[in-house]
Amino acid sequence: MAPLRSLGNIFSAFDDFYARTGKDAVTPAPIPDVTATGGTKSNYGVNTIHQLKASGSLVFPDAFNKDIFYVVIGGGGGGGADIAGGGGAGAWRQGSMPVTGPVTFPVSIGAGGAGGPYPSNDGTAGGDTTFTIPTGTPIVSPGGGKGSRGASGGPGGSGGGGYGRARYNCGGSSGNGAAHTGSGGGANGNGTAAGSGGSGLVVVRYVIEPA
């Protein structure tokens, strides 16, 4: 128990303050910063980063009130078999927005397109990746175009390559991705079955407040 002090006695008041014991002498622990859940979460400096490589959700709790920065990448297209063209890269979308919880953002990750089987089959296009905003327009990054033989490669986030030998002089189709590297498209088969495209990805970043 703290000692009694005489009214108006500044020395007693000083002793009273420094004689406290128990909970009144403990500095309260700092309140941890509020973060979201979903995907693989990591910290880099003052940033929290979520990587979603499979479909799921990003969940922001009640007290969350921050700007987030996002990257949405479509799945890569599959390459064509043998001497056909390689698949195109998935589209890249990026941006930022304010988020106030509680709110859930569903995420659908585009699969990589399958490579064409030997001897002369085209690959398949990569799947679209969608980052759904509950109160706005979904952010969709198209998958990459397929690689083809004897025809132009399929359209997509990046157009797939076309077979361009001798009587077939076919280029790739146009793409609609932003000017950044997307998920890789599949390589052409070069005498064998072709490679498949890489799957899509969503990355979300926000700043954590210092304690």
Side-chain angles (χ1 to χ4, degrees):
M1 178 183 294
L4 297 175
R5 60 185 175 87
S6 301
L7 183 64
N9 187 327
I10 61 173
F11 295 106
S12 294
F14 180 85
D15 292 340
D16 180 30
F17 180 83
Y18 284 101
R20 293 177 182 175
T21 60
K23 292 183 178 179
D24 60 350
V26 177
T27 301
I31 299 174
D33 196 31
V34 177
T35 60
T37 57
T40 300
K41 184 165 67 173
S42 60
N43 293 328
Y44 183 78
V46 297
N47 297 284
T48 292
I49 300 169
H50 296 258
Q51 295 186 60
L52 291 94
K53 299 179 180 180
S55 299
S57 296
L58 196 60
V59 181
F60 298 92
D62 291 1
F64 191 95
N65 186 14
K66 301 175 185 290
D67 288 338
I68 68 168
F69 305 86
Y70 60 83
V71 172
V72 181
I73 304 174
D82 196 12
I83 52 177
W92 173 301
R93 299 276 188 268
Q94 66 179 29
S96 63
M97 70 180 79
V99 172
T100 300
V103 65
T104 298
F105 286 63
V107 173
S108 176
I109 300 296
Y118 189 78
S120 60
N121 294 77
D122 293 352
T124 59
D128 296 350
T129 294
T130 303
F131 186 47
T132 301
I133 303 171
T135 58
T137 303
I139 299 162
V140 180
S141 287
K146 67 179 181 178
S148 297
R149 178 178 180 178
S152 294
S158 298
Y163 173 40
R165 182 183 177 188
R167 62 194 180 99
Y168 301 116
N169 188 15
C170 305
S173 299
S174 61
N176 54 11
H180 299 276
T181 302
S183 58
N188 74 327
N190 193 22
T192 63
S196 298
S199 61
L201 176 69
V202 169
V203 179
V204 171
R205 174 182 66 85
Y206 49 86
V207 175
I208 52 177
E209 302 297 332

